Amino acid sequence: ANPNKTTKVALLLSGSIADGGWGQLAHEGIVALQSTPGFQAVFTENIGQAEIPQATRGYADDGYDLIIGHGYEYGSALLEIAPEYPDTKFFVSSFLPEPSVPSNIQYADLAYYDASYCAGALAALISEKRAAVGFVGGGDNPTQQRMLRAFVAGAERTVPGIKAAGIITGEYGNAARGRQAAATLIGNGADVIWHAANETGIGALQAAAAANVKALGCYADQTAIAPAVVGTSLRIELGEMVKTIAKSVADGSFGGGGEWHPAVDVIWSPVAGAAGDHNPKIISADAWQQFRAIWADVASGKLKVAGILDA
Amino acid sequence: MAAPWLHMRGIVKRFPGVLANDDAHLAVRRGEIHALLGENGAGKSTLMQILYGLYQADAGEITLDGQPLTVGSPADAMAHGIGMVHQEFMLVRLFTVAENVALADRQSRTLDLAAVAARITEVSQQYGLQIDPQARIEQLPIGVQQRVEIVKLLCRDARILILDEPTAVLTAGEKDRLFAVLRRLASDGCAIIIVTHKLHEILEIAERVTVMRAGKTVGCVPTAGSSEAALARLMVGRDVTFTAPRPVQTPGPVVLQVEDLSTTDERGQQALRQAGFCLRAGEILGIAGVDGNGQSELAEALVGARPSSGSVRLHGREMRGLDTASRRALGMAYIPADRRRAGAVMELSVRENALLGMQNLLSHLAGLWRDEARISAHAQRLVETFGVRTASLSFPAGKLSGGNLQKLILGRELMLKPQLLVVEQPTRGLDVGAIEVVWQALLAERQKGTAIVLVSAELDEILTLSDRVAVLYGGRIAGLFDNDGSAALRESIGLCMAGVGASASQADAAANQAALPEQECHAAH
Amino acid sequence: MDSLSILDAAFLSTWLAAAIRLAGPVLLAALGEVFAERSGVLNIGIEGLLLIGALAAYLACGLSGSSWLGVFAAIVSGWLASLLLSWLYVTVQASQVVVGIVFNLLALGACSLVFRTTGEVTGGQSVAMFPALQIPGLSELPWVGPALFGQPVLLYVTLLLVLVASMVLQRSRFGLSLRAVGENPRAADAAGISVKRMRHAGVWISGGAAGMAGAYLMLCEVGVYRDSIVSGQGFIALAIVILGRWTPWKVMLAALVFGLADALQLSLQLLGWGLPPQLLLALPYALTLLAISGMFGGKSVQPAALLMPHQR
Amino acid sequence: MLRIEKRLAPASSKTAIAGAAALAVIAALLVCAVLFALQGANPLQAYASLFSGGFGDWRGIGYTLNKAAPLALIALGTIVAWRCGFAYLGFEGCFVIGAAAATAVALAVVPDRWLAGVPFAVFLPICIAAAMLAGALWAASTGWLRARFGGSEVLMSLMGNYIALLLVQYLVSGPMRAPGGLPQSARIPQETWLPLVIEGTRAHAGIGLALLAALLVWVLLRKTPLGYEMVVAGLNPLAARNSGIAVGRRVLQASLLAGALAALAGLVQVLGVQYRLLDGMSGGIGFIGIVVALLARLHPLWVLPVALLYGGMSVGADSMQRATGVPTSITFILQALTVLFVLASPWLLRYRVVWQSPRAAAGRPLGERNG
Ligand SMILES: Nc1ncnc2c1ncn2[C@@H]1O[C@H](COP(=O)(O)OP(=O)(O)OP(=O)(O)O)[C@@H](O)[C@H]1O
Ligand SMILES: Nc1ncnc2c1ncn2[C@@H]1O[C@H](COP(=O)(O)OP(=O)(O)OP(=O)(O)O)[C@@H](O)[C@H]1O
Ligand SMILES: [Mg+2]
Ligand SMILES: [Mg+2]
């Protein structure tokens, strides 16, 4: 790679960079790149489904080196466009859509199921009544469905006898509906709530706060939204992802033609604001220790979540 | 002579391209019934709407009791005791009478419908108007709706009442009742300004009449000692004939046979019950009756604009199941009562309106492509033949005066060379000059052998034009008369319309006639 | 525990509670819309007004710490925004449908920009929200207790407003004039009522109410601002007005129908029947469509002059 | 001194209308220039890229054409419906229904399916017919309900949109979902894609369909008795009925055609841009199409330039955002303000600015004002 060349990176988002989660975290990576020598980084947010091809080609035609489509929405659109621009690298932060893809496009398996399994386990461990824990999902897609199953497996295998249930709301951006979904779960006996639903999830946390049941955040550090009930948040390191991929393009190590598989402890990390990685008032030391063990097992591959789910 | 109470001086009002009022004057005294007369488009309504604050004059002044008056809005007008009954009633159809009256009542800030209802009862008893304050407007006949309008004004203590063509939609009886109320009001010190085209009514009710022509006031004369002819001359600037001679002619073969025709109105009420009659070529059948007794429904049922049961045969051919388009194709034509809303398309030009109903005839390729040349030629011929006064063929029909619009519609239908013409209220709201033109046209059509069903609320019109008269009462044909022009006939028709004169024998005769087979139709003459 | 059975008291009462909570803000917005539509203006812009109200409530409450101040700010900003709308609807007489659609886009852009530039005034924390008000005694009732008597104070305010709206529309001079303007503007004009003034007022009321509904959403449900927060609830409010036939208390029932369908869609997932969620989500819209099709009579319930500009 | 006074009647010359619209656009640009400056971007540079993005080169023109095609088709549907007095707002629904039908037919052009191996020239008419039929039936169901029971089509069609969107959402997450499954259908085979029409751009043949449709709609409304009947039925249904026009039938026909045109827009989007059916692919285009129709004053031939301008503006907005990096919200604001101001511009036509010497003003008689 030529050290004097600037690498031009563009991030495409279907939602907003101020969503306090999925979009905002990736945007943080762009901001970091903007102050990194050798990189020029830009983004476009709020791209409607129908506008994706045009926005992508716009950047490709403008000579960008790396175009990141952030989310499942980009999976197929970028796959179709990539062959037209062999000199541009494409990255999509969602699963590989077909077994073989062009060598200038890379997909990512961001260890959602591993994280969900661990979240389920932690939820079960901190449940006081040990009766039920609940999950609130976003868009009605297979990833969310499978995350729900991983959450259920994590909870029910870790604390036998506990019941885990979930509601897929169908939307990522509808906080009011997220709130009612969580309230429904709580009303039916759940005393710990986790979500994977972006803005919809904010409502889920508010429901937990209102009912005074424990909750776990997702994607970002969501302690501030409901400090009294959020024990920890599983933050997804999307900023790191953006930086990592951009650097791989800059130094020529971009691994196109397949899927990127970071381990769960690389791409996810438990955070709880000023309290560090968890809030001891909500998560007992014992529970935290057990969770850490599971977390390590999943990260090391000793515990294979995919195997459990496919069984 | 007492100084005028209300005085409008030098009123000028311009509309885009039209000088509607040009130095118009009006002086009204306390306790006076004052008529305002003028051709269609002379500017009467405009002048009244200025007085009522709906329009602002461009120049001129209004004084009340010698004090200058500015009327910026109807609310201003009402505050000064000026009230108006519009040609088109300004009532909210879904509201009750009390709600409608309360609507315009600016006096109290709160809404007390019970008090309003009490006031309505009080006022209506005082003036002999019968109104149920709780009735919904949409359930009331036209005549009662007008009473509501008047009660509305009286409840607000209006001292100056403007009535724009109040009798256009009323029957003789309703008119008499209205006039009684107006006289009563005048004797109580109100001033009443009445706009009307009916000269005999002016002579009957008004003390003085102000005549307008082309926006200007051409004079103000006392009615005492005046005559219809004199008024007409003043208004039109020439002599006008008031009767149209109906030449004697033997009717031709039967064109229309109606049996057992029944239909319902908008609200699903039975509006026409088993009507039956037949009609010959070159014959005019007048349909008389108090408004709302099924006349419109009859006309619409005949032309297929309203679903009906029973039989309508045109030249022996059953029309049941045919829509208006097919019936028109077979020789029917129709002129509805409300020309602006039901007879023409206001936004389109004279030319496009002339095309209405002929769009498939004036075309190439059997209705696939418009034939612009023939369309223009047709419109030109129509305008010339019927003397429609229009700036050009591309002039919007909505801006034609009532008379000219009526000529356009009449001409359009007649140029279809129909075998049967169904025409409703052909001269409603028209000035005497225009009436003359329309009557002549209808009689000429009769002479050509067209069968005509003429629905009119004007008994004079019916007696002038019709060969036979059918009276509708409560949706039934209550009487069927040959028009011999006798005074006795007028009387029996009047009684029949009121639902009392229909002696058993006449009703039976009507019913029998309804069922008459073709040969007996012949025998009837 | 094996509590997830449809006849279970917990299932029913959580379903009802969720339904009422979902219904609350849309009911409030719909109440305002009733006034706009009764005056003859179809205000499709309430989606945007809701968003403006939500942002105003967030900023005001976040900066001052007072929830009630948030409500006040939301009402005022909803009203201010409706000044632009009513100017376009009533004074300019531009197509109401198009103005409403485009206004929603404008509101989204403007709110997003304001939020971006003012930033997270709360440092990512929720603003002070209204707690659920447990009405002593009643909220412990089985089945319906928590749903009906354990809701945030704004719900009770909204229910009160249903009553007020009913009274104003049916019993006051203002309501009579407003309805007259929506039924027959020419008659109202001739009666000395300023058609434009009444229509401005109708739109303003819907602006204030939608703003307050945004505050409801923000201060009772969500607590933090995001651009997506309203996500179509303004349009649901429109549907509710129609289903409720422009009558406040019927609108209240219609809001409940929508809330019940939406909440049922969430609850049923717990039963694992695998029904497509779209089916239930479409149900209230289909109901509304049938209700206004005229198939079941009453075709004239719509204000006769809805969408019709008035000119003398 | 300069005075603003109300005109007797709004100015109605073409120059006045165009001038007011131009003023409105300039006003919107000025307002947003302030926003750009506040965000630290150079407004001039922003507007330069706004223009050059949509019209500056062939590539941009290609995108603009692709944007304009479906917009124009929906706008034409709006015109047919609205001119016939059918104030339909359900184009969002027709669009996705048409897209779904087109996708279903295109997905049949694979081995073992019923259209296996048909050439494009055979496929396209079948696909167009299927999509248009689906959209026509969808819109006509509302038309039928109105004609039969008298419900308001404005409100019914708003509700219908949700049902159509949820129906398509169900299709892409259920029966039509591609294996492996995001909420989207499988990609349609390359043989079914609309051909590109300008070398080196993405412009596809959809714009040709839009052009053809505009001409046909114009001919229908201006040159045929049928169109005359539709317009009359729209302007005055009562008079139309009395003069023998079958109003209900015309409304039904207009709704069929309107739905078909909007569905064609959905087809164009699938066969020309997306190559598959997606959840949320309409993204409000059904409403923007109505906006375009109204800006074109419901005239079929004006639709094309207005759609091109609107399309160019949104393409330009993208490249402006790329060039300046300002938040997209500003481009939303710019688009919305432009449309709102243009909609409001007829208001300017009611006034005029007059020069008048102060003496003359004082000497004017009282009451001699324009009303
Ligand atoms: N709103 C308006 N816009 C433009 N021109 C108008 C308007 N109202 C009335 N005019 C014109 O002003 C003139 C006077 O109309 P006006 O209604 O006062 O006549 P009128 O005497 O009441 O007629 P009629 O006997 O038919 O009722 C007409 O030539 C008409 O064309
Ligand atoms: N919107 C309008 N624009 C232009 N001219 C109008 C308008 N409305 C009415 N007019 C004119 O005003 C005149 C009077 O209108 P008006 O409603 O009194 O009808 P008319 O001629 O009296 O017919 P009718 O008595 O049947 O209602 C008409 O002659 C017409 O030229
Ligand atoms: Mg008049
Ligand atoms: Mg008249």
Side-chain angles (χ1 to χ4, degrees):
Chain A
N2 178 356
N4 295 327
K5 183 184 177 289
T6 41
T7 304
K8 293 166 76 180
V9 181
L11 173 71
L12 307 182
L13 298 144
S14 291
S16 148
I17 58 156
D19 61 357
W22 180 251
Q24 189 157 336
L25 292 164
H27 178 248
E28 280 166 12
I30 290 294
V31 173
L33 284 179
Q34 280 167 346
S35 55
T36 310
F39 287 96
Q40 183 192 331
V42 297
F43 71 96
T44 297
E45 58 180 335
N46 296 320
I47 301 175
Q49 185 74 267
E51 266 79 54
I52 290 175
Q54 179 201 320
T56 310
R57 289 199 175 91
Y59 279 118
D61 288 334
D62 284 355
Y64 277 78
D65 301 294
L66 170 64
I67 296 172
I68 301 173
H70 190 39
Y72 74 91
E73 296 91 340
Y74 296 83
S76 50
L78 266 56
L79 182 61
E80 271 139 41
I81 294 169
E84 294 170 28
Y85 299 95
D87 297 335
T88 306
K89 307 283 186 260
F90 295 87
F91 178 82
V92 181
S93 55
S94 115
F95 295 97
L96 193 65
E98 346 190 312
S100 73
V101 297
S103 64
N104 63 334
I105 186 163
Q106 190 181 32
Y107 287 81
D109 172 354
L110 298 177
Y112 296 111
Y113 310 135
D114 291 351
S116 303
Y117 183 92
C118 296
L122 179 57
L125 287 168
I126 62 174
S127 163
E128 260 145 39
K129 289 193 248 144
R130 300 257 157 158
V133 294
F135 168 81
V136 173
D140 184 10
N141 57 52
T143 307
Q144 290 277 328
Q145 298 283 7
R146 201 170 154 91
M147 285 174 83
L148 166 58
R149 287 176 47 217
F151 176 86
V152 171
E156 294 183 351
R157 289 172 71 99
T158 307
V159 178
I162 206 166
K163 182 147 177 57
I167 294 175
I168 309 282
T169 56
E171 284 178 85
Y172 287 105
N174 191 337
R177 192 179 281 172
R179 174 158 190 160
Q180 306 328 326
T184 303
L185 288 165
I186 295 166
N188 284 289
D191 66 348
V192 184
I193 294 293
W194 187 56
H195 76 88
N198 225 31
E199 289 115 305
T200 301
I202 295 174
L205 296 182
Q206 295 292 8
N212 199 24
V213 305
K214 295 177 181 177
L216 303 171
C218 189
Y219 298 131
D221 182 353
Q222 296 185 310
T223 308
I225 292 177
V229 297
V230 175
T232 185
S233 301
L234 292 184
R235 185 174 68 197
I236 183 167
E237 304 295 345
L238 296 171
E240 285 306 318
M241 173 193 80
V242 168
K243 282 191 278 183
T244 308
I245 301 299
K247 287 190 179 123
S248 78
V249 170
D251 65 21
S253 67
F254 180 75
E259 207 172 36
W260 181 52
H261 292 279
V264 68
D265 57 348
V266 170
I267 194 76
W268 294 86
S269 42
V271 287
D277 59 1
H278 73 286
N279 182 344
K281 288 198 213 108
I282 296 163
I283 301 178
S284 68
D286 182 37
W288 188 250
Q289 216 167 9
Q290 290 185 51
F291 164 72
R292 272 301 189 183
I294 295 170
W295 182 256
D297 286 352
V298 170
S300 67
K302 208 168 120 202
L303 200 164
K304 288 204 165 29
V305 173
I308 293 168
L309 294 179
D310 293 336
Chain B
M1 186 173 143
W5 186 24
L6 172 79
H7 206 166
M8 301 179 79
R9 266 180 298 214
I11 302 290
V12 176
K13 177 67 190 174
R14 236 175 257 113
F15 287 117
V18 184
L19 192 55
N21 283 159
D22 179 13
D23 190 25
H25 292 254
L26 179 70
V28 183
R29 290 180 221 143
R30 209 182 281 269
E32 174 188 39
I33 300 181
H34 193 112
L36 190 57
L37 177 64
E39 290 187 272
N40 291 122
K44 307 176 294 292
S45 298
T46 305
L47 189 66
M48 291 303 99
Q49 288 177 355
I50 287 170
L51 180 57
Y52 189 58
L54 280 169
Y55 292 138
Q56 309 305 309
D58 298 331
E61 65 164 354
I62 307 174
T63 56
L64 186 66
D65 252 346
Q67 303 297 313
L69 187 65
T70 40
V71 231
S73 66
D76 275 1
M78 276 183 237
H80 289 103
I82 301 172
M84 178 159 178
V85 177
H86 298 261
Q87 216 173 317
E88 184 185 336
F89 298 150
M90 298 293 189
L91 297 169
V92 183
R93 296 177 54 80
L94 286 181
F95 283 12
T96 62
V97 171
E99 284 174 322
N100 268 288
V101 171
L103 196 59
D105 182 7
R106 303 278 96 190
Q107 281 153 9
S108 70
R109 290 199 61 81
T110 54
L111 184 64
D112 184 354
L113 287 175
V116 173
R119 177 114 176 84
I120 294 171
T121 314
E122 178 197 325
V123 166
S124 51
Q125 270 166 6
Q126 189 182 345
Y127 290 99
L129 303 151
Q130 286 144 12
I131 292 177
D132 170 14
Q134 307 308 339
R136 276 227 239 174
I137 298 298
E138 60 180 357
Q139 297 161 340
L140 299 176
I142 294 280
V144 180
Q145 290 187 20
Q146 186 175 55
R147 265 182 256 160
V148 176
E149 284 282 19
I150 292 173
V151 165
K152 241 167 80 178
L153 301 188
L154 297 180
C155 283
R156 269 179 286 150
D157 297 320
R159 310 297 297 152
I160 299 175
L161 274 69
I162 308 166
L163 295 105
D164 196 353
E165 301 193 34
T167 57
V169 291
L170 298 190
T171 53
E174 285 175 326
K175 186 210 74 181
D176 289 341
R177 243 187 300 179
L178 171 69
F179 281 6
V181 172
L182 295 184
R183 287 200 187 93
R184 191 69 200 264
L185 285 166
S187 68
D188 283 358
C190 292
I192 290 156
I193 307 172
I194 176 168
V195 179
T196 177
H197 291 295
K198 296 178 190 166
L199 303 174
H200 61 93
E201 288 179 358
I202 293 178
L203 295 178
E204 180 187 343
I205 184 124
E207 287 155 41
R208 291 189 305 158
V209 51
T210 293
V211 182
M212 293 183 71
R213 203 190 297 159
K216 288 191 168 55
T217 320
V218 292
C220 176
V221 294
T223 49
S226 187
S227 69
E228 292 193 23
L231 289 180
R233 199 174 322 110
L234 199 54
M235 166 174 118
V236 190
R238 64 177 165 88
D239 283 322
V240 180
T241 48
F242 289 97
T243 51
R246 179 162 46 90
V248 183
Q249 68 184 54
T250 4
V254 171
V255 173
L256 176 72
Q257 280 168 288
V258 179
E259 280 164 38
D260 253 0
L261 190 64
S262 300
T263 183
T264 55
D265 63 12
E266 275 73 23
R267 279 169 277 142
Q269 309 288 323
Q270 192 78 24
L272 188 66
R273 298 160 201 267
Q274 287 123 19
F277 55 84
C278 47
L279 183 60
R280 295 161 175 285
E283 200 182 21
I284 296 183
L285 173 67
I287 309 284
V290 175
D291 228 23
N293 274 279
Q295 297 95 314
S296 287
E297 287 81 3
L298 169 62
E300 289 171 12
L302 285 178
V303 298
R306 175 180 291 276
S308 59
S309 65
S311 153
V312 174
R313 270 176 288 166
L314 185 68
H315 285 307
R317 181 170 171 171
E318 181 56 63
M319 298 278 113
R320 199 185 341 225
L322 297 184
D323 62 4
T324 311
S326 330
R327 294 189 195 203
R328 291 175 69 102
L330 292 170
M332 283 197 190
Y334 176 46
I335 300 174
D338 186 340
R339 50 183 163 269
R340 285 189 194 281
R341 255 182 286 171
V345 186
M346 298 296 102
E347 296 86 348
L348 291 181
S349 64
V350 169
R351 177 178 182 271
E352 297 292 292
N353 269 287
L355 178 61
L356 201 54
M358 306 198 67
Q359 61 272 17
N360 288 314
L361 302 175
L362 302 177
S363 68
H364 301 294
L365 305 171
L368 271 184
W369 199 262
R370 287 165 55 123
D371 184 342
E372 303 295 344
R374 268 164 68 211
I375 292 172
S376 292
H378 168 75
Q380 187 63 41
R381 202 149 42 95
L382 193 165
V383 165
E384 280 164 13
T385 315
F386 291 89
V388 181
R389 267 187 286 165
T390 173
S392 72
L393 289 184
S394 53
F395 190 76
K399 295 197 173 174
L400 291 177
S401 75
N404 279 302
L405 184 63
Q406 188 68 347
K407 285 188 256 176
L408 174 67
I409 296 171
L410 186 71
R412 183 185 81 202
E413 296 300 302
L414 295 186
M415 283 180 78
L416 284 167
K417 304 217 169 33
Q419 274 133 36
L420 172 71
L421 174 66
V422 179
V423 47
E424 277 189 77
Q425 319 293 359
T427 59
R428 177 173 283 175
L430 296 196
D431 64 49
V432 285
I435 291 173
E436 207 181 359
V437 175
V438 171
W439 282 2
Q440 298 297 356
L442 288 176
L443 287 173
E445 199 59 23
R446 165 181 178 266
Q447 203 129 24
K448 282 192 221 154
T450 308
I452 299 177
V453 175
L454 165 70
V455 176
S456 175
E458 300 294 326
L459 204 46
D460 284 337
E461 180 163 81
I462 291 210
L463 292 173
T464 308
L465 299 179
S466 311
D467 298 295
R468 287 188 295 143
V469 181
V471 181
L472 275 180
Y473 179 77
R476 278 182 212 287
I477 295 192
L480 199 51
F481 307 89
D482 279 326
N483 183 7
D484 54 10
S486 66
L489 175 68
R490 176 183 279 271
E491 185 146 326
S492 24
I493 290 179
L495 288 172
C496 212
M497 282 167 67
V500 290
S503 69
S505 65
Q506 272 171 322
D508 286 349
N512 286 338
Q513 186 119 17
L516 278 187
E518 191 164 331
Q519 53 276 40
E520 286 179 53
C521 249
H522 284 278
H525 290 273
Chain C
M1 58 162 247
D2 196 7
S3 68
L4 305 180
S5 124
I6 197 158
L7 291 173
D8 192 276
F11 183 92
L12 285 176
S13 74
T14 43
W15 172 32
L16 191 60
I20 290 178
R21 294 195 76 118
L22 284 164
V26 280
L27 170 57
L28 185 49
L31 275 183
E33 179 73 13
V34 166
F35 281 81
E37 292 191 18
R38 274 297 182 96
S39 80
V41 180
L42 182 70
N43 183 10
I44 296 184
I46 43 175
E47 175 87 1
L49 291 167
L50 269 164
L51 190 64
I52 290 170
L55 178 61
Y58 170 77
L59 291 177
C61 181
L63 291 171
S64 72
S66 153
S67 310
W68 286 109
L69 208 64
V71 173
F72 177 75
I75 296 174
V76 170
S77 51
W79 172 69
L80 284 176
S82 71
L83 290 179
L84 169 69
L85 275 174
S86 76
W87 180 70
L88 287 163
Y89 289 143
V90 182
T91 308
V92 177
Q93 301 190 345
S95 158
Q96 293 173 10
V97 170
V98 175
V99 167
I101 292 168
V102 179
F103 174 82
N104 290 335
L105 189 68
L106 179 68
L108 179 60
C111 287
S112 173
L113 192 67
V114 170
F115 177 63
R116 253 0 122 70
T117 34
T118 52
E120 297 254 6
V121 292
T122 56
Q125 222 162 347
S126 300
V127 293
M129 291 168 69
F130 287 105
L133 215 62
Q134 304 294 340
I135 298 182
L138 294 176
S139 61
E140 277 103 56
L141 288 176
W143 297 53
V144 294
L148 289 178
F149 304 106
Q151 297 276 355
V153 61
L154 287 189
L155 179 77
Y156 306 114
V157 174
T158 303
L159 294 181
L160 193 69
L161 287 177
V162 172
L163 204 68
V164 172
S166 256
M167 298 291 287
V168 167
L169 274 179
Q170 290 305 323
R171 301 281 169 79
S172 78
R173 176 158 293 288
F174 172 79
L176 188 71
S177 307
L178 190 93
R179 286 185 288 136
V181 162
E183 285 294 334
N184 186 347
R186 283 165 54 77
D189 190 8
I193 295 164
S194 164
V195 175
K196 296 204 164 161
R197 208 176 300 159
M198 294 313 295
R199 290 191 167 172
H200 281 297
V203 176
W204 294 351
I205 290 174
S206 86
M212 184 170 166
Y216 191 148
L217 211 53
M218 173 59 57
L219 301 176
C220 297
E221 304 291 318
V222 187
V224 290
Y225 178 84
R226 296 289 179 255
D227 289 349
S228 68
I229 193 171
V230 176
S231 52
Q233 306 204 45
F235 288 100
I236 295 180
L238 281 178
I240 284 171
V241 173
I242 302 163
L243 185 61
R245 303 200 160 193
W246 298 270
T247 312
W249 69 270
K250 287 187 192 162
V251 166
M252 183 177 74
L253 293 184
L256 194 62
V257 168
F258 264 77
L260 283 172
D262 204 352
L264 183 63
Q265 180 266 129
L266 298 175
S267 292
L268 278 188
Q269 289 193 27
L270 296 179
L271 298 180
W273 288 358
L275 276 182
Q278 290 85 11
L279 193 70
L280 278 169
L281 289 175
L283 200 65
Y285 295 109
L287 263 180
T288 309
L289 203 161
L290 290 182
I292 54 177
S293 67
M295 217 183 279
F296 308 106
K299 54 178 97 167
S300 62
V301 288
Q302 173 189 347
L306 188 63
L307 286 165
M308 314 240 178
H310 170 69
Q311 225 145 19
R312 245 182 216 166
Chain D
M1 70 184 172
L2 280 179
R3 241 165 40 90
I4 292 179
E5 68 177 30
K6 201 159 180 189
R7 288 170 185 267
L8 236 43
S12 58
S13 74
K14 290 214 166 70
T15 22
I17 292 169
L23 270 180
V25 173
I26 292 170
L29 290 177
L30 284 178
V31 171
C32 289
V34 176
L35 294 182
F36 280 119
L38 287 177
Q39 291 286 318
N42 177 352
L44 285 181
Q45 185 208 340
Y47 291 139
S49 65
L50 175 72
F51 178 79
S52 68
F55 302 102
D57 54 16
W58 281 110
R59 181 174 67 98
I61 291 171
Y63 290 137
T64 298
L65 290 174
N66 284 0
K67 267 257 149 69
L71 278 180
L73 285 167
I74 290 172
L76 289 167
T78 309
I79 290 174
V80 173
W82 288 32
R83 291 285 290 270
C84 192
F86 185 62
Y88 190 64
L89 301 178
F91 299 107
E92 193 84 355
C94 297
F95 178 90
V96 294
I97 295 277
T103 310
V105 174
L107 285 176
V109 191
V110 289
D112 300 335
R113 299 290 308 278
W114 58 283
L115 279 177
V118 300
F120 186 72
V122 177
F123 157 77
L124 190 63
I126 296 178
C127 192
I128 287 180
M132 289 181 81
L133 185 69
L137 291 179
W138 183 260
S141 63
T142 306
W144 179 79
L145 281 175
R146 187 189 102 158
R148 180 77 178 71
F149 301 107
S152 153
E153 71 275 21
V154 175
L155 307 175
M156 283 194 288
S157 57
L158 276 176
M159 299 303 113
N161 278 339
Y162 292 103
I163 297 173
L165 291 177
L166 286 166
L167 178 67
V168 169
Q169 200 182 74
Y170 166 70
L171 287 178
V172 293
S173 50
M176 286 179 78
R177 176 185 272 174
L182 300 168
Q184 59 184 27
S185 76
R187 194 172 83 168
I188 59 173
Q190 197 154 1
E191 311 83 89
T192 62
W193 296 5
L194 283 179
L196 302 183
V197 290
I198 304 176
E199 189 76 30
T201 72
R202 302 293 311 170
H204 57 69
I207 192 68
L209 286 177
L211 191 69
L212 196 67
L215 282 175
L216 287 178
V217 169
W218 180 76
V219 163
L220 170 73
L221 293 181
R222 291 300 282 276
K223 297 290 169 198
T224 70
L226 178 65
Y228 172 83
E229 292 193 355
M230 285 181 167
V231 171
V232 169
L235 287 171
N236 188 341
L238 196 55
R241 196 167 296 128
N242 284 333
S243 63
I245 294 173
V247 175
R249 211 173 307 155
R250 295 294 162 264
V251 167
L252 206 59
Q253 285 161 345
S255 66
L256 280 166
L257 182 54
L261 286 165
L264 194 56
L267 171 140
V268 161
Q269 201 65 10
V270 167
L271 301 190
V273 178
Q274 301 287 0
Y275 305 135
R276 63 173 84 231
L277 186 64
L278 301 157
D279 181 23
M281 70 181 289
S282 56
I285 192 175
F287 289 107
I288 303 295
I290 297 175
V291 174
V292 167
L294 274 163
L295 291 179
R297 296 180 157 232
L298 297 185
H299 191 296
L301 295 185
W302 273 105
V303 157
L304 280 175
V306 174
L308 283 172
L309 277 177
Y310 199 96
M313 191 163 135
S314 51
V315 172
D318 282 354
S319 79
M320 175 174 83
Q321 215 248 347
R322 284 201 302 277
T324 58
V326 296
T328 34
S329 40
I330 297 195
T331 61
F332 282 3
I333 296 176
L334 177 61
Q335 286 180 1
L337 274 187
T338 309
V339 174
L340 284 184
F341 284 3
V342 170
L343 282 176
S345 69
W347 182 72
L348 292 177
L349 302 174
R350 296 186 203 167
Y351 295 88
R352 65 170 152 218
V353 180
V354 288
W355 168 255
Q356 187 184 46
S357 69
R359 207 151 23 98
R364 261 182 149 209
L366 210 79
E368 192 170 327
R369 278 171 285 120
N370 288 309

